[in-house]
Amino acid sequence: MSLIDIHTHSPKDCICLVNHNNWETEPALPFCSAGIHPWDIDKTDIDLALKQLDLWAKKGTIAAIGEIGIDHCIKTSTQLQLDVFLRQAEIANQYKLPCIIHCVKAYSDFESILKQNPAHTPWIFHGFASSTQMASSITQKGCYISIGHKVLKNTNLQNVIKHIQHNKLFFETDESATNIKEIYNLCAQLLEISIDQLEEIIYNNLQTVFGNGKKLA
């Protein structure tokens, strides 16, 4: 069994899904994601990037689409962010790839999206830092939640994780220097289970979302 880092920007000494954000080079790692981040929309040739994303998805170069989503703390219009998100979600549906979701103050937007456009592949909301009620709403719609380094100091988030379904849970380091083991250690304590049990839970979740013969390292 190995620790899982479901969203990181650099390779780690564990099974990790690495975010690839260079449209000029094809991803070289066997387990990575790619997508148009909301922060990059205004400086990206969207049509060209979508063609590249479609090609990588078709070739099996990427294991997931992401991170993609909506961020209400940037100047890019919500409608444009939504349009770009939905076009990428279509690619994910076409090639049956999971999505890594970037969501900043936009959970209500995604609740509406999921009502009108149900996710046909697993969606993982990365860096989750919202409420127990929102976590419940997201997981009830079949989506997953990834907890990052904020849980180490955020007591509200520490309480939230106690109420998340185990089979909908992942952990990540994102761009932080945090060791994923720190997150596992704390969350095992919060969930009142052993590290080995938690490793098995997250590994099984990984197999559920990414199994199907894909390389996981």
Side-chain angles (χ1 to χ4, degrees), residues 14-214:
C14 64
I15 295 177
C16 54
L17 183 68
V18 181
N19 186 76
H20 180 86
N21 59 4
N22 187 342
W23 296 106
E24 297 181 1
T25 61
E26 184 166 324
L29 296 172
F31 193 48
C32 63
S33 65
I36 305 170
H37 193 292
W39 296 356
D40 297 331
I41 288 175
D42 289 339
K43 54 186 177 183
T44 300
D45 184 327
I46 301 300
D47 290 334
L48 185 62
L50 288 171
K51 288 180 181 179
Q52 190 68 273
L53 191 63
D54 185 276
L55 177 61
W56 290 344
K58 183 177 182 179
K59 292 171 64 176
T61 305
I62 54 177
I65 304 293
E67 57 187 287
I68 60 176
I70 297 174
D71 189 326
H72 282 303
C73 290
I74 60 176
K75 294 181 179 180
T76 306
S77 75
T78 299
Q79 186 59 53
L80 178 56
Q81 292 186 59
L82 175 61
D83 291 344
V84 173
F85 170 79
L86 291 176
R87 291 174 71 182
Q88 293 180 95
E90 287 178 7
I91 294 174
N93 289 339
Q94 180 178 355
Y95 297 102
K96 297 180 172 57
L97 295 177
C99 291
I100 306 298
I101 306 297
H102 175 95
C103 177
V104 176
K105 297 185 178 180
Y107 288 103
S108 60
D109 298 70
F110 277 104
E111 286 190 306
S112 297
I113 291 170
L114 286 165
K115 286 180 181 178
Q116 300 173 23
N117 303 274
H120 297 295
T121 64
W123 286 9
I124 303 170
F125 282 77
H126 102 85
F128 185 85
S130 188
S131 65
T132 298
Q133 291 77 13
M134 189 56 66
S136 176
S137 177
I138 289 172
T139 54
Q140 285 176 10
K141 293 178 174 62
C143 300
Y144 293 75
I145 286 174
S146 178
I147 301 293
H149 66 94
K150 292 180 181 179
V151 74
L152 299 175
K153 296 182 179 180
N154 187 322
T155 55
N156 289 330
L157 188 55
Q158 290 172 12
N159 180 63
V160 169
I161 195 173
K162 298 175 184 178
H163 301 280
I164 297 175
Q165 296 172 243
H166 291 185
N167 65 346
K168 295 297 182 183
L169 184 62
F170 283 108
F171 302 119
E172 65 175 74
T173 58
D174 198 5
E175 294 184 286
S176 76
T178 304
N179 188 318
I180 193 71
K181 191 171 183 178
E182 292 182 58
I183 298 173
Y184 268 81
N185 285 340
L186 174 61
C187 291
Q189 294 176 29
L190 293 170
L191 296 173
E192 299 182 343
I193 58 177
S194 70
I195 288 290
D196 288 344
Q197 288 175 307
L198 186 55
E199 283 188 35
E200 183 175 5
I201 288 168
I202 304 305
Y203 188 82
N204 288 340
N205 292 347
L206 186 78
Q207 291 291 336
T208 299
V209 174
F210 291 97
N212 304 321
K214 292 186 183 298

